[in-house]
Amino acid sequence: MTDFDTYERDLWAGRAGVYETGFARLTAHAVGPLLDAARIGAGSRVLDLGTGPGIVAAEAARRGAKVSAVDADPLMAETAARNVPGADVRVAVLPALPHEDETFDAVVGNFVINHVGDPVATLAELRRVLRPGGRLALTCWTMPGSGVLAVVRDAMEEVGVPWPDDVPLGPFMTYGRPDTFAALVGGAFREARVESLDWDFTFDPGEWWENGAMSRVGSNAVVLLRQDSPTIARVKEVYDRRLAEYATGDGSVSVPAHALLAHGTR
């Protein structure tokens, strides 16, 4: 594993519960397009990468697919196995997968490839477990982060919170653009294409703050929680002010989200 992989394992350890009730609601928007791009239907043998609480796996099972799933965090894998009875859920750390060559008709990953330290090696492994003609579909956040992905980070920058050297940004600061994502996937798969996914995400600002920023979900939260209480309070003030322009009138806000969907054929 790279240093980034080691950092990621620590970042997500024990976060299954707060991720499921918070950030997973944001990433769930991409599940339908992801499975459509992979052509998941009845009888499809599909592998869900970084399954988390199993949202992608559950929808694939609902479509009649034969579902396998992996996650690097044992608690995430346990949560997915509970949420998707009948799925073959295993603990595995990319790029290594515990599956035989050419096992699957499709491999999907919802906002997972941006959490690995060696995307090129990971794509080679995904190609290995796909049958000839099998489909790959992956989502990632558009970089640099904007919209809902950036609200806490932008508030920290306005307050003047520095980004520490020991919190790595990862390869997808480079690959998180349509051209670079397409080139990355196209290096291992035929007919590689990248599409934009844009939607409005509606949430309660207070709940989002507590279940994300204050629950150590994501690198922004890691940096924020290193600050003293007065600094955190100032960041919260800026966060609230910035989100006020997206108010819906019922106490919620609706903020744009921007992501990329890549797909290709083995």
Side-chain angles (χ1 to χ4, degrees), residues 58-82:
E59 176 58 20
R62 191 194 67 78
R63 295 186 180 199
K66 299 176 182 178
V67 180
S68 297
V70 295
D71 201 282
D73 181 66
L75 185 56
M76 291 282 195
E78 178 184 321
T79 302
R82 183 174 63 250

Side-chain angles (χ1 to χ4, degrees), residues 36-105:
D36 289 345
R39 301 173 186 167
I40 302 303
S44 298
R45 297 169 300 166
V46 58
L47 174 63
D48 176 27
L49 306 168
T51 189
I55 294 174
V56 174
E59 176 58 20
R62 191 194 67 78
R63 295 186 180 199
K66 299 176 182 178
V67 180
S68 297
V70 295
D71 201 282
D73 181 66
L75 185 56
M76 291 282 195
E78 178 184 321
T79 302
R82 183 174 63 250
N83 289 340
V84 194
D88 174 20
V89 183
R90 307 185 196 182
V91 176
V93 180
L94 292 169
L97 289 170
H99 302 93
E100 299 295 328
D101 294 356
E102 301 181 5
T103 298
F104 300 103
D105 300 310

Side-chain angles (χ1 to χ4, degrees), residues 226-265:
R226 290 183 180 182
Q227 312 308 308
D228 58 27
S229 295
T231 301
I232 293 175
R234 290 198 300 274
V235 172
K236 178 62 161 57
E237 289 175 3
V238 175
Y239 166 91
D240 289 335
R241 172 170 54 77
R242 285 174 172 266
L243 285 181
E245 64 181 281
Y246 298 102
T248 62
D250 63 355
S252 298
V253 295
S254 186
V255 184
H258 307 290
L260 301 174
L261 168 62
H263 49 90
T265 305

Side-chain angles (χ1 to χ4, degrees), residues 87-138:
D88 174 20
V89 183
R90 307 185 196 182
V91 176
V93 180
L94 292 169
L97 289 170
H99 302 93
E100 299 295 328
D101 294 356
E102 301 181 5
T103 298
F104 300 103
D105 300 310
V107 173
V108 297
N110 200 28
F111 302 100
V112 173
I113 190 68
N114 46 291
H115 290 289
V116 301
D118 191 341
V120 173
T122 296
L123 286 168
E125 180 73 344
L126 305 187
R127 179 181 172 84
R128 180 186 68 78
V129 301
L130 268 173
R131 67 165 175 80
R135 298 282 296 176
L136 172 79
L138 302 169

Side-chain angles (χ1 to χ4, degrees), residues 6-22 52-53 71-79 82 91 210-212 214-218 222 225:
T6 301
Y7 165 78
E8 284 282 324
R9 298 291 71 73
D10 177 67
L11 174 64
W12 294 105
R15 305 266 74 78
V18 291
Y19 180 84
E20 183 176 15
T21 58
D71 201 282
D73 181 66
L75 185 56
M76 291 282 195
E78 178 184 321
T79 302
R82 183 174 63 250
V91 176
E210 292 300 324
N211 289 333
M214 300 307 292
S215 295
R216 200 175 175 271
V217 174
V222 169
L225 291 175

